[in-house]
C-alpha cells in the first residue's frame, strides 16, 4: 500500500482511539509529518503549546531550532520525517509518564514500520530510552548505535532535545556537533542496506 495512505489510515485510527491518554477537550492530536520515504526519522517527546494549537510537531521555538539544525547539514525539514513518542500535549508541558509512553508505543512502532528509516535521531531522553533503555543521555549523546528493529538494521543517534539546548549554551554546542554526524551515519546505514539487499549467494556445489 502507498505510504501516504498507510499513514493517513494510522492517523485516523489514532484519532478514533478513545483509550489514548492525554486526550481532552483542550488537546489536539499531533501526528508525525514529513517525507514518507525519509531515510532520517526524528523522534521527539510530546507536543507543546504551539504544536497543540497547530496540530503539527515541532513548530514552536524548539521546532525552529530543529529546522535550523536540519538546514545546517544541507537538508530541509521536508526531507526528513518528524514525530513524537507522545501525541497529545501533557498538561503544563510536564514530562510524559511511562504509562503514557506505553499507550502511544504501538502507533509509534507502526509509523516507523511504514516509513522504514535508515537512521533514527532521538531528541531527548524519552525517545532515546525507547531504543536504548537505561542509558544516560549525557554519556551517549552523539554515539550512534546500530540495532535490529522490526527485522531491519537501523542506526540510532541519541541527541539532546532542542528545548534543552535553548536553555543551556553548552548543550546547544553539543547538539550542533552531534547533528554534523547525521550524513556520515546515513552513508554507513545505506551501506548496511546494500549488504542486506545483496542477493543471497547460492552455492553450485
Ligand atoms: N518538543 C517535542 O518534543 N515535540 C514537539 O513536537 C515540540 C516540542
Amino acid at each position: 500500500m502507498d505510504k501516504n495512505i498507510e499513514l493517513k489510515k494510522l492517523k485516523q485510527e489514532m484519532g478514533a482511539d478513545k483509550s489514548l491518554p492525554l486526550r481532552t477537550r483542550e488537546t489536539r492530536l499531533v501526528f508525525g509529518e514529513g517525507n514518507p520515504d525519509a531515510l532520517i526519522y526524528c523522534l521527539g517527546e510530546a507536543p507543546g503549546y504551539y504544536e497543540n494549537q497547530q496540530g503539527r510537531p515541532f513548530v514552536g521555538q524548539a521546532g525552529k531550532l530543529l529546522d535550523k539544525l536540519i538546514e545546517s547539514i544541507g537538508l530541509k525539514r521536508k526531507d526528513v520525517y518528524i514525530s513524537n513518542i507522545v501525541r497529545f500535549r501533557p498538561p503544563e508541558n510536564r514530562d510524559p509518564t511511562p504509562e503514557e509512553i506505553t499507550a502511544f508505543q504501538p502507533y509509534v512502532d507502526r509509523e516507523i514500520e511504514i516509513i522504514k528509516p535508515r537512521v533514527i535521531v532521538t531528541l531527548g531522553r524519552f525517545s532515546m530510552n525507547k531504543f536504548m533503555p537505561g542509558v544516560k543521555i549525557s554519556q551517549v549523546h552523539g554515539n550512534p548505535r546500530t540495532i535490529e528493529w522490526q527485522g531491519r538494521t537501523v542506526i540510532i543517534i541519541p541527541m539532546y532535545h532542542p528545548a534543552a539546548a535553548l536553555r543551556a549554551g553548552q548543550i546547544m554546542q553539543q547538539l550542533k556537533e552531534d547533528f554534523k554526524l547525521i550524513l556520515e551515519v546515513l552513508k554507513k546505514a545505506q551501506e548496511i542496506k546494500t549488504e542486506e539487499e545483496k542477493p543471497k549467494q547460492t552455492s553450485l556445489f
Side-chain angles (χ1 to χ4, degrees):
M1 202 196 296
D2 179 85
K3 285 186 178 186
N4 279 310
I5 297 172
E6 282 187 84
L7 288 167
K8 202 171 156 200
K9 222 172 126 245
L10 189 62
K11 184 177 178 182
Q12 278 168 353
E13 259 182 65
M14 284 189 93
D17 185 347
K18 298 286 181 285
S19 75
L20 286 173
L22 300 167
R23 181 196 291 280
T24 69
R25 278 188 357 192
E26 282 79 42
T27 58
R28 178 167 170 184
L29 177 67
V30 178
F31 197 72
E33 71 172 29
N35 179 358
D37 289 315
L39 299 169
I40 302 163
Y41 176 92
C42 301
L43 189 59
E45 188 179 311
Y49 176 84
Y50 292 102
E51 288 76 23
N52 185 56
Q53 292 264 309
Q54 295 184 36
R56 295 180 55 211
F58 280 99
V59 291
Q61 286 308 310
K64 290 200 171 68
L65 173 57
L66 180 60
D67 290 352
K68 277 197 197 142
L69 289 163
I70 292 168
E71 282 160 22
S72 76
I73 56 166
L75 298 177
K76 293 200 173 69
R77 183 179 167 110
K78 65 176 171 55
D79 295 326
V80 304
Y81 196 89
I82 299 175
S83 201
N84 282 305
I85 46 166
V86 164
R87 307 296 175 88
F88 288 106
R89 182 188 182 207
E92 318 293 333
N93 293 345
R94 64 155 169 76
D95 287 347
T97 65
E99 293 74 25
E100 286 161 359
I101 292 171
T102 303
F104 286 95
Q105 189 179 302
Y107 291 104
V108 179
D109 288 345
R110 280 172 62 195
E111 191 178 55
I112 297 172
E113 217 176 323
I114 296 168
I115 308 284
K116 297 189 180 13
R118 289 284 150 195
V119 172
I120 298 180
V121 175
T122 59
L123 301 166
R125 66 197 156 104
F126 294 101
S127 54
M128 174 189 72
N129 282 148
K130 175 175 174 63
F131 305 100
M132 302 161 71
V135 301
K136 276 206 153 58
I137 198 160
S138 55
Q139 286 168 1
V140 302
H141 74 88
N143 292 327
R145 186 182 286 188
T146 305
I147 63 161
E148 290 301 309
W149 190 258
Q150 298 166 336
R152 299 169 57 253
T153 307
V154 179
I155 304 184
I156 310 293
I157 320 179
M159 298 203 194
Y160 281 113
H161 194 286
L166 290 171
R167 290 191 294 266
Q170 210 187 342
I171 291 186
M172 177 73 86
Q173 251 346 89
Q174 292 181 331
L175 183 57
K176 283 182 181 170
E177 285 300 311
D178 292 348
F179 244 80
K180 289 184 194 157
L181 298 166
I182 293 180
L183 293 183
E184 202 183 308
V185 171
L186 179 60
K187 205 167 149 234
K188 192 170 160 228
Q190 286 181 298
E191 282 162 13
I192 299 171
K193 175 185 163 192
T194 312
E195 282 301 310
E196 275 175 357
E197 286 179 353
K198 269 187 193 163
K200 297 269 173 295
Q201 216 170 3
T202 46
S203 167
L204 289 175
F205 304 101

